[in-house]
């Protein structure tokens, strides 16, 4: 197995202390971009009991088994840390310190190390030591309350908004920024405190600006981008599928109503008092044909209309096929690495790392013979 990919982070070494959710996804992104990510798995596993053979968030990584509660466990991790550029952990605050692999111990061995911490509530605050999951984190930031129809419970957006957008991606941004600082003259390592509540709140920046300007109402289904607008939402087709409409600008709206066939009856788009009437006209028209038929009608136009596809259907969409947005590796269809790079392309080079399977290669490549029970 290659120890580093071909992406822009080739040569960067990352230690990942095994966890679930946003931490592994962040480490996968770094691995996709070419970093040599060594995942420290615990004997016996843990987490959500997903078969490791199918956990694509562990692709492009290598795995070693280390029991951090054993007498020699923390020392072996610190030997890896000495040779690493970054570490990622997702324990509750204080756990890494109690295990002997907290920031102080790691920076004593490697002052240039970027120590990335992934939590829901952050390292301090009244809820810092409280258990939680994505849905609770996005609930208190106001993000969850924005999503869904008025008069109905908020719609749960899987765990994409909190865990991955507000968590993983902000952790990766922080790690990359800190790596850049550590490599400047006189630069040093530091701790990156990536809290899902912070990242998710940050994602709502534009909405807060619109509220301050009086352009956003603080309730569901009443605004331009939350389904309240009849030309920005989803509509059912005759076969029980859906089409997504995002015809916000006037020129796109004009194309939309013309192709939909309601140009003559559509009320003025800028009159919210008639939005209910417009929504009904759009809904009735969409119900007259199948999703495939409407897809053909809008294909290639600037009406900003697209079919709503399932996860299983998405890899077969012609545009995504042409771009190679999805890839098949090891018998698993999965998203390809993103974004794209012109000089240092990122690729999937290995399937999900199996716990402990790479101990020998990591011991050799990182010069840590203690991983094999040998003296350094």
């Amino acid at each position: 197995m290659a120890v580093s990919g071909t992406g822009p982070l080739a040569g960067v070494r990352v230690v990942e202390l095994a966890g679930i959710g946003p931490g592994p996804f962040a480490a996968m992104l770094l691995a996709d971009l070419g970093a040599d990510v060594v995942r420290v798995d615990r004997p016996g596993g843990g987490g959500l009991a997903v078969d490791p053979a199918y956990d694509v968030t562990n692709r492009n990584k290598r795995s070693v088994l280390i029991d951090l509660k054993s007498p020699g466990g923390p020392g072996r991790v610190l030997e890896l840390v000495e040779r690493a550029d970054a570490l990622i952990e997702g324990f509750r605050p204080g756990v890494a310190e109690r295990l002997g692999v907290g920031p102080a111990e790691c920076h004593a061995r490697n002052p240039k190390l970027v120590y990335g911490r992934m939590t829901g509530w952050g390292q301090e605050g009244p809820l810092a030591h409280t258990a939680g999951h994505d849905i609770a984190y996005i609930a208190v930031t106001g993000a969850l309350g924005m999503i869904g129809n008025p008069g109905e419970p908020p719609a749960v957006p899987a765990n994409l908004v909190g865990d991955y957008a507000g968590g993983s991606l902000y952790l990766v941004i922080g790690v990359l920024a800190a790596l850049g600082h550590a490599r400047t003259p006189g630069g040093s390592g530091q701790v990156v405190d990536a809290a899902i509540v912070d990242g998710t709140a940050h994602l709502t920046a534009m909405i807060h600006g619109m509220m301050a300007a009086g352009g956003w109402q603080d309730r569901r289904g009443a605004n331009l981008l939350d389904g309240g607008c009849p030309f920005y939402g989803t509509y059912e087709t005759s076969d029980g599928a859906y089409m997504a409409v995002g015809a916000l600008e006037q020129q796109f709206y004009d194309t939309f109503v013309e192709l939909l066939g309601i140009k003559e009856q559509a009320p003025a788009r800028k009159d919210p008092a008639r939005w209910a009437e417009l929504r009904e006209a759009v809904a009735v028209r969409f119900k007259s044909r199948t999703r495939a038929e409407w897809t053909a009608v809008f294909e290639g136009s600037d009406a900003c209309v697209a079919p709503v596809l399932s996860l299983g259907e998405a890899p077969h969409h012609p545009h995504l096929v042409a771009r190679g947005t999805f890839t098949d590796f090891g018998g698993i269809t999965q998203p390809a690495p993103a974004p794209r790079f012109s000089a240092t392309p990122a690729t999937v080079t290995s399937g999900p790392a199996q716990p402990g399977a790479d101990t020998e290669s990591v011991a050799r490549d990182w010069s840590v013979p203690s991983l094999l029970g040998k003296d350094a």
Side-chain angles (χ1 to χ4, degrees), residues 159-356:
N159 67 330
L160 302 178
V161 174
D163 278 354
Y164 298 137
S168 303
L169 297 186
Y170 278 85
L171 175 60
V172 169
I173 291 169
V175 167
L176 294 179
L179 281 173
H181 169 74
R183 294 181 172 188
T184 61
S188 63
Q190 60 183 303
V191 176
V192 178
D193 176 5
I196 294 173
V197 288
D198 296 345
T200 304
H202 195 260
L203 290 171
T204 66
M206 183 189 76
I207 306 299
H208 277 278
M210 293 176 70
M211 277 206 306
W216 189 277
Q217 299 181 61
D218 196 12
R219 55 191 177 89
R220 285 191 300 284
N223 301 284
L224 197 63
L225 302 174
D226 65 356
C229 169
F231 41 92
Y232 197 89
T234 58
Y235 291 91
E236 188 176 5
T237 55
S238 64
D239 55 346
Y242 289 85
M243 297 293 290
V245 178
L248 291 175
E249 292 82 359
Q250 183 67 56
Q251 67 270 30
F252 303 149
Y253 176 82
D254 291 342
T255 302
F256 165 60
V257 294
E258 181 175 356
L259 291 177
L260 189 63
I262 62 168
K263 181 178 180 180
E264 303 305 323
Q265 66 184 100
R269 64 184 286 273
K270 293 185 177 180
D271 183 4
R274 300 189 68 186
W275 274 6
E277 179 185 347
L278 176 56
R279 187 187 309 278
E280 178 63 20
V282 173
V284 168
R285 186 65 179 146
F286 268 120
K287 283 282 285 185
S288 69
R289 297 185 184 180
T290 66
R291 186 184 69 178
E293 289 172 328
W294 283 121
T295 298
V297 168
F298 290 104
E299 190 73 37
S301 75
D302 278 348
C304 301
V305 176
V308 178
L309 304 182
S310 70
L311 289 173
E313 293 173 320
H316 305 290
H317 187 278
H319 182 80
L320 305 187
V321 170
R323 283 188 58 79
T325 300
F326 289 86
T327 186
D328 289 298
F329 192 95
I332 303 175
T333 299
Q334 57 197 281
R340 313 285 176 92
F341 299 88
S342 61
T344 54
T347 60
V348 178
T349 58
S350 64
Q354 302 303 292

Side-chain angles (χ1 to χ4, degrees), residues 344-365:
T344 54
T347 60
V348 178
T349 58
S350 64
Q354 302 303 292
D358 308 293
T359 300
E360 289 191 14
S361 66
V362 173
R364 179 189 66 243
D365 299 335

Side-chain angles (χ1 to χ4, degrees), residues 60-82:
N60 287 343
K61 304 177 184 179
R62 296 191 285 178
S63 170
V64 299
L65 286 181
I66 298 177
D67 183 358
L68 280 168
K69 295 182 179 180
S70 69
R76 292 187 177 92
V77 170
L78 292 176
E79 286 189 68
L80 290 170
V81 163
E82 286 182 10

